[in-house]
Amino acid sequence: MLQARASSSGGRRGPPGSDTLKKAFVKSYGCQMNAYDAARMADVLGAQGYAATESVEEADVVVLNTCHIREKAAEKVFSEVGRLRVLKAERAQAGLDTRIVVAGCVAQAEGREILARTPAVDVVVGPQSYHRLPELLAESHKRRVVDTEFPIEDKFDHLPARRTQGVTGFLTVQEGCDKFCAFCVVPYTRGAEVSRSVAAIRAEAEALVAGGVREITLIGQNVNAYHGAGGDGAPASLAGLMDALGTIPGLLRLRYTTSHPNDMADDLIAAHADNPLLMPYLHLPVQSGSDRVLQAMNRRHTGDAYRRLIARIREARPDIALSSDFIVGFPGETEPEFEETMRLVAEIGFASAFSFKYSPRPGTPAAEREDAVPEAVKTERLARLQGLLDAQRHAFNQSTVGQVVDVLIEKTGRHPGQVAGKTPHLQAVQLDAPASTIGTILAVRIVRYGSNSLFGERVADAAAAA
Ligand code: SAM
Ligand code: SF4
């Protein structure tokens, strides 16, 4: 969950001279693309004079940026709106207006259904139209509004400059997906693949770096299908884009997510060897180890093609840490087919991973199938898969103990005098160091691995103590 902060630019709700600030609460569910969109919605509201609040009770505008990828994710929205309805009524009794906005992929998929089902909601806005939030909010005082168009104009041309900043930042370079995996709603909720130009992305990256960002993660539903216009107008690849960003002074690290195996082009694999800013970490979803299941999923690659691809990537960057997504219990998945997934995981070895029970999504081809795997079988398979993936993650983290690694310091730590950051392999590290080190890379010796975090000491400090 992310509560995106809109900047407090001193806007007013009351008449001029009134000191009552308008406040916005933005909550995001789901993937990094949603986190990015939530931050940009906070920017849009910030430009309208809304200050960010982390307290929903005091918010004049509440935005729920929703996820539709699995049934549970979508249902969460409706229970949250139920709670907000009560809050809205209480605030109304105190003479305070509250606008409730449902944004994101549930908004896109369910549109008017949301208004019918949840009378408290004032605005429903899809992922391509949120730059219009101020107009929609104004309009909502006359009637409840839905905007789930895929507009001709590019929302990125209409968004204010980025304000939400830290040491790390997401940057959307590509949206939508043309792959149509049989289980997935993304091609329907996010539409066809569209890439932003290199110039637009570089300008946004420069603004991020000027605001203190040192690590940028380029994001897209299918980020390695990126093909935005380059300087000469010809399409640039993701590797070409990362070359163009590599010359921004002050930018220390680049990452990208999420990729499809079939779009791992040769130059992208080579970039893992050649681009000094690109971190040795790759999230490359495979979903299943069974060729029959992969075909039924319309993934258009086999388990062996994935294995060969990983071998090439490891040849280019031997220390790369791998991550993946898995779905268990896709309709018709047999026990031997599930075991092929276990075998693939055992052979490849992942530093981290996300794994899910298959969840039928209305409108997708797989949802029509009548050979559903029983829930209890899905639960049992997921537990087995997660047991193996967890063991691999722990082993990977444990293997870091004793090593000296570069840690980009992102924020203050859990205890006074501590800071927290990430290794090149995206592992969280806590260490003692002053807050002045935030935004810099420190050489850190890893001394211990706790269940979810590594603990280290600065190499200079360790040498002084010796
Ligand atoms: N574009 C990425 C890819 O190619 O895999 C990821 C897209 S999706 C936001 C993230 C993950 O959610 C997928 O990789 C898949 O594992 C999971 N997912 C998508 N649809 C699902 C469904 N119907 N049931 C369970 N998991 C699903
Ligand atoms: Fe969904 Fe990813 Fe498949 Fe596209 S490639 S349909 S986003 S799982």
Side-chain angles (χ1 to χ4, degrees):
M1 188 193 86
L2 171 144
Q3 283 153 21
R5 287 179 152 275
S7 91
S8 85
S9 57
R12 309 277 159 185
R13 177 174 55 189
S18 151
D19 61 0
T20 319
L21 279 170
K22 293 190 290 186
K23 295 203 172 110
F25 174 90
V26 183
K27 178 169 172 176
S28 194
Y29 302 84
C31 65
Q32 297 97 332
M33 304 279 307
N34 262 15
Y36 174 90
D37 288 343
R40 300 311 312 266
M41 281 186 258
D43 291 340
V44 170
L45 294 170
Q48 297 292 309
Y50 286 89
T53 176
E54 289 182 10
S55 156
V56 68
E57 288 78 15
E58 61 176 25
D60 303 284
V61 170
V62 178
V63 180
L64 301 180
N65 193 34
T66 62
C67 172
H68 202 242
I69 202 81
R70 283 168 291 278
E71 192 180 0
K72 267 193 193 157
E75 278 309 312
K76 269 190 203 159
V77 180
F78 292 102
S79 44
E80 185 78 36
V81 171
R83 284 191 288 275
L84 290 175
R85 185 172 58 84
V86 177
L87 180 66
K88 182 172 178 165
E90 285 169 4
R91 280 176 49 93
Q93 279 186 349
L96 296 168
D97 180 57
T98 314
R99 301 281 102 186
I100 299 180
V101 179
V102 174
C105 292
V106 177
Q108 188 64 42
E110 310 224 348
R112 293 205 167 272
E113 281 291 309
I114 298 175
L115 292 191
R117 201 172 148 181
T118 53
V121 172
D122 303 287
V123 175
V124 176
V125 60
Q128 298 310 331
S129 309
Y130 61 75
H131 57 293
R132 301 188 54 220
L133 212 41
E135 295 156 55
L136 300 173
L137 283 169
E139 177 85 13
S140 76
H141 288 279
K142 289 181 242 147
R143 60 182 183 96
R144 301 165 75 210
V145 277
V146 176
D147 187 344
T148 51
E149 296 298 307
F150 285 92
I152 308 288
E153 83 253 20
D154 181 350
K155 70 170 178 247
F156 292 105
D157 293 340
H158 296 267
L159 291 170
R162 285 192 68 165
R163 298 161 181 240
T164 40
Q165 288 154 3
V167 171
T168 61
F170 291 129
L171 202 173
T172 292
V173 302
Q174 172 280 338
E175 288 194 286
C177 181
D178 297 338
K179 294 276 190 289
F180 290 93
C181 298
F183 50 80
C184 184
V185 288
V186 166
Y188 310 96
T189 56
R190 294 279 181 160
E193 238 175 76
V194 183
S195 294
R196 300 175 69 192
S197 71
V198 171
I201 294 165
R202 188 170 159 119
E204 190 171 329
E206 283 170 347
L208 286 173
V209 174
V213 167
R214 296 290 168 261
E215 173 181 301
I216 294 179
T217 302
L218 306 177
I219 56 173
Q221 266 90 25
N222 201 174
V223 73
N224 57 344
Y226 175 81
H227 59 276
D232 53 3
S237 66
L238 185 62
L241 170 66
M242 290 194 290
D243 281 343
L245 299 180
T247 55
I248 297 176
L251 180 62
L252 302 177
R253 287 180 169 184
L254 280 170
R255 302 180 187 275
Y256 62 92
T257 198
T258 294
S259 298
H260 190 288
N262 290 2
D263 290 317
M264 284 305 298
D266 292 349
D267 66 340
L268 184 55
I269 296 175
H272 279 282
D274 302 337
N275 188 327
L277 297 197
L278 181 57
M279 291 295 101
Y281 180 92
L282 176 62
H283 181 67
L284 192 61
V286 62
Q287 314 297 355
S288 168
S290 152
D291 289 350
R292 195 205 62 79
V293 173
L294 285 167
Q295 193 176 17
M297 288 176 163
N298 194 30
R299 288 291 291 181
R300 298 183 225 190
H301 60 80
T302 61
D304 277 350
Y306 187 84
R307 286 179 177 88
R308 286 194 296 273
L309 179 58
I310 295 299
R312 288 180 56 215
I313 295 165
R314 281 184 161 150
E315 204 176 308
R317 185 75 206 222
D319 68 335
I320 199 151
L322 295 169
S323 163
S324 195
D325 289 345
F326 298 89
I327 295 179
V328 302
F330 185 77
E333 184 191 67
T334 63
E335 175 61 23
E337 286 168 345
F338 168 69
E339 278 163 13
E340 288 181 56
T341 301
M342 295 289 281
R343 201 160 36 248
L344 180 135
V345 172
E347 280 171 31
I348 290 184
F350 292 94
S352 68
F354 300 93
S355 46
F356 314 98
K357 288 192 248 184
Y358 168 72
S359 164
R361 307 311 297 129
T364 60
E368 309 287 305
R369 294 183 54 146
E370 290 175 357
D371 49 354
V373 173
E375 196 57 29
V377 175
K378 285 192 214 170
T379 304
E380 189 272 333
R381 286 182 190 164
L382 186 65
R384 261 194 288 161
L385 177 61
Q386 290 186 337
L388 178 56
L389 290 167
D390 278 351
Q392 291 188 342
R393 180 169 57 86
H394 291 312
F396 178 74
N397 287 333
Q398 196 64 50
S399 72
T400 319
V401 175
Q403 290 181 15
V404 174
V405 290
D406 283 346
V407 176
L408 174 60
I409 307 300
E410 295 177 9
K411 56 188 181 186
T412 51
R414 289 183 207 144
H415 304 294
Q418 266 192 346
V419 290
K422 298 266 168 50
T423 69
H425 294 136
L426 207 58
Q427 298 151 291
V429 183
Q430 308 267 339
L431 66 146
D432 287 338
S436 57
T437 58
I438 291 172
T440 67
I441 291 180
L442 298 181
V444 175
R445 187 180 310 284
I446 304 300
V447 292
R448 184 165 67 82
Y449 169 52
S451 52
N452 277 316
S453 193
L454 295 167
F455 295 87
E457 53 191 24
R458 282 173 82 168
V459 169
D461 297 346

